[in-house]
Amino acid sequence: MRFKKVFLVLVAFIASICGLQFMGNYESVHADSVNSNYQMVAHGYDWGPAIDQVVINTSTPINSQKLSTDTFNVSNSDTYIPSTKRTVTKAYVSDAKGNPVDFASSRFITLNLQVDPDLTVSNPFYFHQDSQLNIPVSVQFQITQNSPLFTSSGAEITKIAPTPRTTDVSYPELDKFSKNYSFTYQDKHFGTTKMQYTYYQAPTDQKHALIIWLHGAGEGGWQPKPVSLLGSKAVTLAQNKIQSYFGNGADILVPQARTYWLDTRTANEAGADDFGALGSNSTTLGYPNTVDGNQQRSRYESGLTELIKEYIKSHPNIDQNKIYIGGCSNGGYMALRMMIIHPDKFSAAFPTCEAYLDKNISNKQISTIKNENIWFTQSRNDPIVNPQTSTVPTYKRLMAAGSKNVHFTFMDDVHDRTGLYKGKDGLPYQYLGHFSWIDVLDDYPAPDYDGSQSENPDGTPTTVLSWVSQQTKKTNWK
């Protein structure tokens, strides 16, 4: 009997200790959950980048059983836009990068967020009026738990309210590209000048192509990765579908102008390193880029040529029969400009909504490029660059001069083709007519100026990029 009492006291003591231990674990789990953090994740869309995920680190494994799209209330704000509610489209346990896992629990929870072309608060960039550049903007999320979750050991969690792990946004699509590099060169007009660039290198030891992509006016500055790559979704050039066109793949070189490609201003010494501007005492080269100009030039012509030359020199597996240049808007202008001044250096060009005024292209220059491989793209309703003063007359002059491999996709408009985004009228979302690079980079079929649609050797409709991949011409990069 005495033994039984001792045994019961011992059991009660052990139970008491275990109970205290359980409470201690619960309190520790609870505290870790309160001190959780989150990472913002963005991907490229037709209209630009959008933050479409947050990855929450709870510091303890969370069971996925009670996790749903209603578990958290999510809003975000930035420097210019007040807190705006975000819609969670999917919630799941994941790894640290937001990839789903097969386990029943994980200390990482990923929330997928709804995005659309008009949801400005999801954009990690802001168009800065003074500099006329897209610049990264400080974004903050407000995340609060709405319903209970449980740890893998069964403890209830009710107060997950994560703080930012970092103010930086993660861009998984950019992992294939190099870090940002600075290229310094000597220009006869400007002296020592700098340019930024990033690149994707095809994973092969075999000879392969090189594509030079030139950004639009708002994507200059000092961060080609992410600004120049995601402002127009140029990251698609490194994706499998496009790369497969080029046999052994293609390197993608993405230079970035400090300001914009169609810039003829000079600057005094004090303003030489300004981003987005060239100092208050700026003058011009004498070849003004105005509607009354006699010739359109760029203060970056020499530097861009030298950068491409150095890249080819340092990457000996580049096939110099397959060097292509393209770009959008200001970059479309620069792609055409480079073809005009260096027709021997490019196997093909694909200028999109290019801003080269036809009246500033001489008959001699038309003759210089009439036998080159060029594919133009623009929309009829482009409100930024009038196609009737740029691409249309230039194309017609080239055809009249006897061009055999110059093409022009002249679209009616630029609209969503994914079926995901619609306007208030229920019809496919209409993008600004200037955004014709969407059709090029999304690799949609490209009819020619007369409406005819050619086919690739495998019978699929020709796209601008599939056509580019089929062009070969020996270039001269000594």
Side-chain angles (χ1 to χ4, degrees), residues 336 339-341 343 354 356-372 374 376 390-403 406:
L336 184 57
M339 180 63 89
I340 286 174
I341 62 178
E354 52 90 5
Y356 209 135
L357 293 174
D358 177 70
K359 69 176 185 177
N360 292 338
I361 302 175
S362 68
N363 288 333
K364 182 178 179 180
Q365 289 170 329
I366 290 291
S367 180
T368 297
I369 63 172
K370 69 178 183 179
N371 294 320
E372 302 304 323
I374 307 173
F376 296 97
S390 56
T391 307
V392 171
T394 299
Y395 170 76
K396 289 182 176 179
R397 289 171 66 194
L398 285 167
M399 298 307 291
S403 294
V406 173

Side-chain angles (χ1 to χ4, degrees), residues 44-197:
Y45 290 85
D46 287 341
W47 63 87
I51 300 174
D52 54 7
Q53 288 181 319
V54 287
V55 180
I56 302 171
N57 181 354
T58 64
S59 302
T60 190
I62 298 294
N63 194 302
S64 63
Q65 187 174 5
K66 295 294 184 179
L67 183 61
S68 74
T69 57
D70 297 321
T71 302
F72 294 94
N73 291 326
V74 181
S75 299
N76 82 277
S77 57
D78 64 32
T79 308
Y80 306 95
I81 302 175
S83 185
T84 304
K85 182 175 175 56
R86 300 292 300 274
T87 299
V88 180
T89 60
K90 190 176 182 180
Y92 53 93
V93 293
S94 68
D95 62 17
K97 294 185 176 182
N99 301 307
V101 294
D102 294 330
F103 317 119
S105 61
S106 172
R107 64 189 180 94
F108 297 101
I109 296 172
T110 292
L111 306 178
N112 288 358
L113 307 173
Q114 182 175 310
V115 296
D116 66 63
D118 294 326
L119 188 63
T120 310
V121 75
S122 69
N123 194 336
F125 299 167
Y126 170 76
F127 186 70
H128 193 263
Q129 291 292 340
D130 291 342
S131 66
Q132 295 290 293
L133 297 178
N134 283 289
I135 59 174
V137 65
S138 178
V139 179
Q140 308 84 36
F141 270 80
Q142 301 83 42
I143 304 172
T144 57
Q145 190 175 350
N146 198 38
S147 60
L149 289 172
F150 294 87
T151 69
S152 56
S153 60
E156 185 179 79
I157 305 294
T158 59
K159 295 183 179 179
I160 298 176
T163 57
R165 184 174 72 82
T166 173
T167 58
D168 294 335
V169 178
S170 173
Y171 299 97
E173 293 165 307
L174 303 188
D175 290 347
K176 293 182 177 181
F177 286 81
S178 73
K179 67 179 183 179
N180 292 331
Y181 288 96
S182 181
F183 178 73
T184 302
Y185 62 97
Q186 297 296 319
D187 188 278
K188 64 181 180 181
H189 296 290
F190 308 106
T192 302
T193 311
K194 294 179 181 179
M195 185 182 299
Q196 306 298 118
Y197 71 96

